[in-house]
Amino acid sequence: MKGLAELGEFGLIDHIRARFPQPVAPELGIGDDAALLSPSAGRQVVVSTDLLAEGIHFDPGFGPARLLGRKSLAVNLSDLASMGAIPRWFFLSLAIPAGFSLETIEGFLDGLAEQAAEHNCILAGGDTCGSKGGLTISVTIMGEQRPELILKRSGAQPGDDVWVSGSLGDSALGLKLLMEGVRLGGAHDPLLLRQLDPTPRCELGLKLAEAGLVNAMIDISDGLLADLGHICEQSVCGAEILLGQLPLSPALYTCSSKQPVFPWPLVISGGEDYELCFTAPRCNREAIQKISKTAGIPLTVVGKVTNSRQVQAILPDGTNFQPSASGYTHF
């Protein structure tokens, strides 16, 4: 197999293009200076971008490159899911260190292509360059939705239920284990895979948007407290979270039972759950649970929206819980 140096920049671009079939091609995709794209009639374009930097967002030694490829697109798909949008196109840019293995790039593309195919999302362009540091991955994704169905952070109302999908804390605990030297292939795989291969809730987000039951929604990337705080900030309100009602996986319970103190900070502030957090009127509970059953994803009421301007976390014994940080921050 050729190395990256032999393949060259344009050879690598051709190689990437060949890996991503385009069953419904954009008007003009990979090969020109820019792509030409048109949303479906009556829909707005929804755009999100994420940057993953080696040593900050990922460690290549934690798992196979294929899972990194899957995660690189999943984190963007999760942003579209939180707005109830339908994925359509994405752009990939890579800054690659000298001497980087083409075999690793192949594994990365395998995972990226898998994730794209699962969500009918088309690679429409991107860029490549060298890096004097580690590997840097930038993905920009574009989706679409009818304007009246797009869910935002700014619609929460006092009295709304606060809901979350799936379970919380697995990814943060998985990262902790990875940093302690635990690797795939053992009893902790359910936790490690929540960190290495998160599942974007695209179908669920779309169903919630189409049902018209939700007032505000966000994906949980920085931690429940931080991301619910973004909803509250945009909606000019507050919230109260009951920690005893948070959905926790059996894997997290099993691992945490060996710890002297239950890891509430990981659960509510650890981040990278990529679950959905949304608010909805209490009268919509039954209808939302029907969507949960249809989608096959647990949805749990974990608190309520309040008139205050604070997000409070209440421990099972009724006392306030004050974590040292509400969520992940880069700076």
Side-chain angles (χ1 to χ4, degrees):
M1 180 182 292
K2 288 184 178 180
L4 281 176
E6 295 176 89
L7 200 59
E9 178 185 1
F10 296 106
L12 177 59
I13 292 171
D14 288 339
H15 186 71
I16 293 172
R17 173 167 50 183
R19 297 293 306 278
F20 290 85
Q22 298 189 357
V24 182
E27 286 81 352
L28 186 64
I30 301 172
D32 268 82
D33 288 325
L36 301 179
L37 310 170
S38 297
S40 303
R43 290 177 175 170
Q44 286 185 318
V45 176
V46 183
V47 184
S48 180
T49 189
D50 273 289
L51 185 70
L52 302 181
E54 182 177 345
I56 301 294
H57 300 93
F58 66 91
D59 183 325
F62 283 172
R66 172 181 155 272
L67 296 186
L68 178 59
R70 290 183 58 83
K71 184 173 182 177
S72 297
L73 187 55
V75 299
N76 286 266
L77 287 163
S78 184
D79 285 330
L80 294 191
S82 73
M83 301 192 76
I86 303 164
R88 289 291 305 276
W89 310 283
F90 72 100
F91 296 80
L92 170 68
S93 294
L94 298 171
I96 306 171
F100 204 77
S101 164
L102 183 56
E103 182 179 2
T104 302
I105 292 294
E106 288 282 8
F108 172 85
L109 294 175
D110 285 342
L112 192 72
E114 285 176 13
Q115 193 74 271
E118 288 171 14
H119 293 89
N120 298 313
C121 198
I122 298 166
L123 179 64
D127 194 15
T128 61
C129 70
S131 169
K132 292 185 178 180
L135 176 67
T136 300
I137 305 160
S138 177
V139 174
T140 297
I141 197 166
M142 304 177 73
E144 61 180 22
Q145 185 53 278
R146 300 205 317 263
E148 69 274 17
L149 296 184
I150 294 173
L151 292 169
K152 302 174 184 177
R153 302 176 179 181
S154 55
Q157 298 292 323
D160 278 2
D161 288 328
V162 176
W163 294 76
V164 296
S165 66
S167 61
L168 304 181
D170 291 350
S171 179
L173 183 52
L175 178 59
K176 181 176 182 292
L177 292 170
L178 286 165
M179 294 178 71
E180 291 172 353
V182 179
R183 294 295 180 265
L184 288 169
H188 294 306
D189 280 6
L191 298 170
L192 304 187
L193 287 171
R194 284 293 301 275
Q195 165 63 212
L196 298 172
D197 189 16
T199 301
R201 302 300 192 185
C202 295
E203 180 183 359
L204 175 62
L206 182 59
K207 287 181 181 297
L208 289 170
E210 291 176 339
L213 302 170
V214 172
N215 284 338
M217 189 154 71
I218 192 170
D219 75 320
I220 304 174
S221 56
D222 294 327
L224 175 61
L225 281 190
D227 290 315
L228 179 56
H230 296 321
I231 285 181
C232 291
E233 181 180 2
Q234 293 295 317
S235 299
V236 193
C237 62
E240 182 180 274
I241 298 301
L242 302 177
L243 300 189
Q245 294 182 196
L246 296 183
L248 307 176
S249 72
L252 185 140
Y253 269 122
T254 299
C255 189
S256 300
S257 65
K258 302 170 185 177
Q259 306 298 320
V261 179
F262 194 81
W264 288 119
L266 290 180
V267 174
I268 61 174
S269 305
E272 292 199 289
D273 295 299
Y274 297 107
E275 296 291 354
L276 297 179
C277 172
F278 59 93
T279 80
R282 185 182 178 89
C283 60
N284 291 344
R285 281 190 180 185
E286 185 176 349
I288 290 172
Q289 288 295 2
K290 287 180 179 178
I291 290 177
S292 173
K293 291 180 181 179
T294 301
I297 299 169
L299 296 175
T300 306
V301 176
V302 299
K304 63 182 180 181
V305 178
T306 66
N307 284 306
S308 74
R309 296 297 300 275
Q310 297 179 331
V311 178
Q312 292 182 301
I314 310 298
L315 285 162
D317 65 5
T319 59
N320 283 352
F321 179 70
Q322 296 289 343
S324 58
S326 62
Y328 183 79
T329 177
H330 283 281
F331 305 106

